[in-house]
Amino acid sequence: MAARMRALTGRTAFLASVGLAYLLVLAPLIAVFWVSFFRNKIIAFPPQGYTLAWFANAWSLDDFRNGFVLSVEIGIVATIGSLLIGVPAALALARHDFRGREAISAALMSPLIVPGIVAGTAVYMFYIEIETWTDVQLAATLPGLCLAHVVLALPWTVRLVTASLVGVNRLVEEAAMTLGAGPALTLWRVTLPMIRPAIVAGGLFSFVVSFVDLEKSLFLVGPGRTTLPIAIINYLEWSIDPTIAAVATIQILIISAALLLTDRFVKLSRAF
Amino acid sequence: MRDDAGLRPFSLLSPAVLVITIGLLLPMTMMFRFSLNRYSANELMTQALTLSNYARFFGDAFYLGILAKTIAVALASTVVALVLGVPAAYFLARLSTPRLKSALILMTVVPLLMGNSVRTAGWMVLLGDRGLCNAILIFLGIREEPLRILYTGKAVLIALVAAILPYMIISLQSVLEGIERVYEEAALTLGAHPATMFRRVLLPMLMPGIFSGSLLCFILAMNAYATPLLIGGPTFQMMAPLVYQQLTKVFDWPFASSMAFVLMAVTLASVVLSSVFIQNRYGRL
């Protein structure tokens, strides 16, 4: 009896800690989502009613509208850029053995290791130095932000596509070659279609990591040219109200949609 | 497949290598060089080869205190995340309903990639004086007046744990998936108490996951920016906001560079130390 009681307490404690873990992870997102529909202007619980007005209000504020547009623009460039340079790099890493392969692979993965705030500091000073030497302005410009975000997204694309290439059966490619297809045709008609899920997932991941980035972009944005996450924290320094909750909710919806879509191509648990 | 030795991988890789070099490696090298320069009020930076910026950092109790606090907060949040992460990861790995399992994996991964600004907004809604937690406490009659949670160290710790916990769960889960259930069952049928089974059977096999997960969480917590700034408030100082201020408000590039390098060195040292430890103890992973 006592043993059974102990087992029951153990099981309850186990389930309680699982519940607590997921409560911590999900509560902030659920809270901000909920508050964005409150009718009261100042956040108070329980709400006096519900409205969609704060979404319209958020869109009418320049900082948020421009921030949203800029984040989408950068996200798209980061996606295209990381695919254009990341897929060829993954092909080389997965299909060729050459000297320095490990070192190059480590270099391409380095944006995952260097903390955002450190990388941001370095890139900011680098851009200013380039400006002093060549008069080309990169800090606080779209090209400057885009370059930084392609770097941010690249390791995810390279990793997902390399992993997928390793799993591809090379006999299929060899069959195409024996049947007379040249290397370019084989790549285009056989190899790339086989790794399509990884390419799509790499692109979506690139968009997500670029869209949510805060620390690295912090240094590279300028007056009137702010990404959405930075517009959010700038606003949060002054106040927290349903309008900012509405903006955060929009980010939650975009990122969730992108990740649910990714999950259809490559299981998210295998992306890490 | 033909392999025109060297030429093809070179041309396939060169765009990516070029972008990483311009976008990260060169700036990092330049920053290291800058950290050895001298700051001057009128010229901002003068060429030099001096360790004075590092000496200034390690000689000043104010900066050392912030570094120590950053390390302490990062360690504490990593430990809490580990304690909460093990049961959650075990639950996730041993779920037998595929639909429930993929739903729970999504609920872990989506918050992980949600970005710190949104999460911070959420904690401000929950922990503020008029926030949900205080509303519940007052409604239940536990408190008369709102409890001050936001802008305290406790709030920073809670928010940091929540931010890093998904990484911990995913790291542990991936290792647990590889440990077959028969080991646990063997120990249990031989009469081991579940706690003994966990300590003697599961824990040793889980060690690689515990190390990689803790390492990742420690790095993320060390470098946290939005959480200490907005949840901790102006008096709660950690390294990342300090680097940002030094660069954009004080314009002391050499000192900001050296601080960024100290932050990165602590991070990298923990990576190297733990990978040496893991390799010695558990072989190459």
Side-chain angles (χ1 to χ4, degrees), chain B residues 40-223:
Chain B
S40 73
N42 39 1
E43 278 182 87
L44 291 181
M45 189 163 67
T46 47
Q47 290 286 337
L49 209 62
T50 167
L51 288 172
S52 62
N53 297 301
Y54 293 96
R56 180 179 159 203
F57 185 89
F58 287 107
D60 191 329
F62 173 73
Y63 297 116
L64 272 183
I66 294 177
L67 179 64
K69 188 172 190 178
T70 307
I71 295 176
V73 170
L75 271 179
S77 50
T78 303
V79 170
V80 178
L82 180 63
V83 171
L84 283 171
V86 170
Y90 183 82
F91 181 78
L92 185 57
R94 293 293 180 259
L95 260 182
S96 47
T97 4
R99 287 185 78 106
L100 193 62
K101 187 166 180 164
S102 35
L104 208 54
I105 287 179
L106 276 175
M107 284 202 273
T108 319
V109 176
V110 171
L112 181 154
L113 290 160
M114 193 49 76
N116 291 323
S117 51
V118 169
R119 214 186 338 261
T120 308
W123 285 115
M124 291 177 83
V125 167
L126 287 169
L127 303 179
D129 284 355
R130 298 159 146 277
L132 185 59
C133 290
N134 269 317
I136 293 173
L137 286 178
I138 290 168
F139 176 77
L140 294 177
I142 298 172
R143 294 275 306 187
E144 300 269 313
E145 290 289 299
L147 178 68
R148 192 103 183 115
I149 317 173
L150 198 62
Y151 308 127
T152 66
K154 278 194 203 77
V156 174
L157 195 65
I158 295 173
L160 271 180
V161 168
I164 62 181
L165 191 52
Y167 288 92
M168 184 67 89
I169 296 177
I170 291 293
S171 306
L172 294 173
Q173 182 243 351
S174 68
V175 176
L176 278 165
E177 295 282 355
I179 302 173
E180 280 185 57
R181 220 185 163 138
V182 286
Y183 297 107
E184 296 163 41
E185 281 161 1
L188 291 176
T189 40
L190 289 171
H193 187 266
T196 319
M197 182 283 287
F198 175 75
R199 197 163 41 83
R200 302 278 298 272
V201 178
L202 218 44
L203 202 57
M205 288 195 278
L206 191 55
M207 268 310 178
I210 290 180
F211 271 97
S212 61
S214 303
L215 189 64
L216 192 58
C217 289
F218 179 73
I219 294 174
L220 287 165
M222 275 290 295
N223 293 283

Side-chain angles (χ1 to χ4, degrees), chain A residues 17 22 45 96 115 125 215 251, chain B residues 3 108 114 116 132 223 257:
Chain A
S17 69
Y22 278 97
F45 295 91
H96 297 273
M125 293 190 297
E215 287 85 355
Q251 181 167 334
Chain B
D3 204 272
T108 319
M114 193 49 76
N116 291 323
L132 185 59
N223 293 283
S257 301

Side-chain angles (χ1 to χ4, degrees), chain A residues 109-124:
Chain A
M109 290 299 137
S110 61
L112 294 177
I113 303 168
V114 180
I117 209 91
V118 177
T121 307
V123 172
Y124 170 75

